[in-house]
């Protein structure tokens, strides 16, 4: 099984290829360029460096949202175009779940936070558990709270109620670090720099599981998941309602 993954849901642009649970290539950039400038050249570089025949991939994985509205549109349009051209399905990986998967195997509660502005974060709560079989055991990620857009204090309150050690990651950490440090009542820490932002490798690894479970969509049916209205849409509604 060969999965091509794209993630442009935030400040990071990332492309990866995973084949049979082995990471073949990953190209990740977190710099001051737009995803429209970087994503396709990065994909081309990965293709050339690995002699990748796009027709040989089984599916295209995309960080489907939430996240930056512009970034999501660029990533989704790229994945959709490839899927339609190659007649390949799309594996939609929730952005927040993909972020959490960076910390695969940790014993702590995982709380990704992406800055959603207006004192809100895109977030969720995840944990990893060991499932024992007859001959071996496996680790899997479980969703404690589905991804959502909430006030930072609300998610901190829910984490305090769980009363378990927590690890935070995501671009919301530097924005809300002070509030986290003052409001958290349980043990917590922040993920290290190599695993605290979006990575297409994590999206691809999670997509392999989804693909085996049949969680795919036709390219033509794929749409990004925004979770809330864009600023322009909110302003338009406010004008219409006289706010």
């Amino acid at each position: 099984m060969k999965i091509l993954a794209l993630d442009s849901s935030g400040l990071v642009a990332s492309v990866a290829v995973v084949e049979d649970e082995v990471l073949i290539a990953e190209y990740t950039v977190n710099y001051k360029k737009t995803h429209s400038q970087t994503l396709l050249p990065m994909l081309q570089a990965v293709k050339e460096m690995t002699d990748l025949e796009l027709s040989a991939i089984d599916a295209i994985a995309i960080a489907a949202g939430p996240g930056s509205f512009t970034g999501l549109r660029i990533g989704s349009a790229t994945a959709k175009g490839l899927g339609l051209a190659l007649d390949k399905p799309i594996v939609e990986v929730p952005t927040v779940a993909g972020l959490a998967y960076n910390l695969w195997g940790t014993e702590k509660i995982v709380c990704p936070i992406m800055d959603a502005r207006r004192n809100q974060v895109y977030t969720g709560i995840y944990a990893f558990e060991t499932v024992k079989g007859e001959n071996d055991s496996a680790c899997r990620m479980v969703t404690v709270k589905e991804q959502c857009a909430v006030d930072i204090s609300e998610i901190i309150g829910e984490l305090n109620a769980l009363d378990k050690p927590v690890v935070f990651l995501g671009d919301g950490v530097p924005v809300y670090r002070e509030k986290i440090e003052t409001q958290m009542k349980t043990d917590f820490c922040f993920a290290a720099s190599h695993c605290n932002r979006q990575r297409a490798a994590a999206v691809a690894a999670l997509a392999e599981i989804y693909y085996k479970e049949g969680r795919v969509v036709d390219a033509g049916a794929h749409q990004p998941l925004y979770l809330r209205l864009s600023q322009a849409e909110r302003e338009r509604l406010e004008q219409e309602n006289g706010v």
Side-chain angles (χ1 to χ4, degrees), residues 7-229:
D7 193 330
S8 59
S9 59
L11 298 174
V12 175
S14 189
V15 177
V17 178
V18 167
E19 183 175 7
D20 296 330
E21 300 183 4
V22 175
L23 177 62
I24 304 299
E26 182 182 24
Y27 192 162
T28 299
V29 175
N30 184 10
Y31 195 63
K32 303 173 183 178
K33 290 187 178 181
T34 65
H35 297 321
S36 60
Q37 293 175 293
T38 58
L39 199 61
L40 284 176
M42 290 165 63
L43 173 57
Q44 183 63 26
V46 167
K47 180 177 178 294
E48 292 176 356
M49 287 293 291
T50 62
D51 297 321
L52 175 66
E53 292 290 341
L54 291 177
S55 59
I57 64 175
D58 293 288
I60 300 155
I62 181 69
S68 157
F69 287 81
T70 301
L72 290 177
R73 291 187 184 107
I74 292 169
S76 288
T78 303
K80 194 165 189 169
L82 287 169
L84 290 170
L86 300 169
D87 192 24
K88 302 294 182 181
I90 303 291
V91 184
E92 298 172 330
V93 176
T95 302
V96 178
L99 255 175
Y101 212 65
N102 281 334
L103 301 180
W104 184 92
T106 180
E107 295 181 354
K108 295 180 173 64
I109 294 293
V110 180
C111 183
I113 53 173
M114 299 170 62
D115 184 19
R117 309 290 176 87
R118 295 190 171 190
N119 209 48
Q120 284 196 327
V121 290
Y122 297 125
T123 187
I125 302 175
Y126 301 86
F128 292 88
E129 64 179 19
T130 300
V131 180
K132 293 184 178 180
E134 292 184 4
N135 301 315
D136 57 8
S137 59
C139 181
R140 68 179 183 185
M141 187 171 76
V142 295
T143 302
V144 179
K145 180 180 179 64
E146 293 284 355
Q147 63 178 16
C148 56
V150 297
D151 186 281
I152 182 63
S153 295
E154 181 178 333
I155 196 66
I156 290 174
E158 293 190 35
L159 292 168
N160 284 332
L162 292 174
D163 195 26
K164 295 180 179 180
V166 180
V167 55
F168 291 94
L169 73 160
D171 61 35
V173 168
V175 179
Y176 297 105
R177 185 174 187 130
E178 185 176 347
K179 286 192 174 184
I180 293 170
E181 291 175 338
T182 57
Q183 295 181 23
M184 282 294 294
K185 298 177 181 178
T186 62
D187 292 338
F188 68 92
C189 63
F190 301 107
S193 59
H194 69 288
C195 57
N196 69 1
R197 293 292 189 275
Q198 285 90 334
R199 290 185 59 185
V203 173
L206 195 49
E208 276 197 302
I209 297 173
Y210 288 3
Y211 184 89
K212 292 174 183 177
E213 294 174 347
R215 296 167 63 179
V216 301
V217 298
D218 292 334
H222 167 65
Q223 295 292 333
L225 177 62
Y226 297 116
L227 281 192
R228 69 178 196 181
L229 298 176

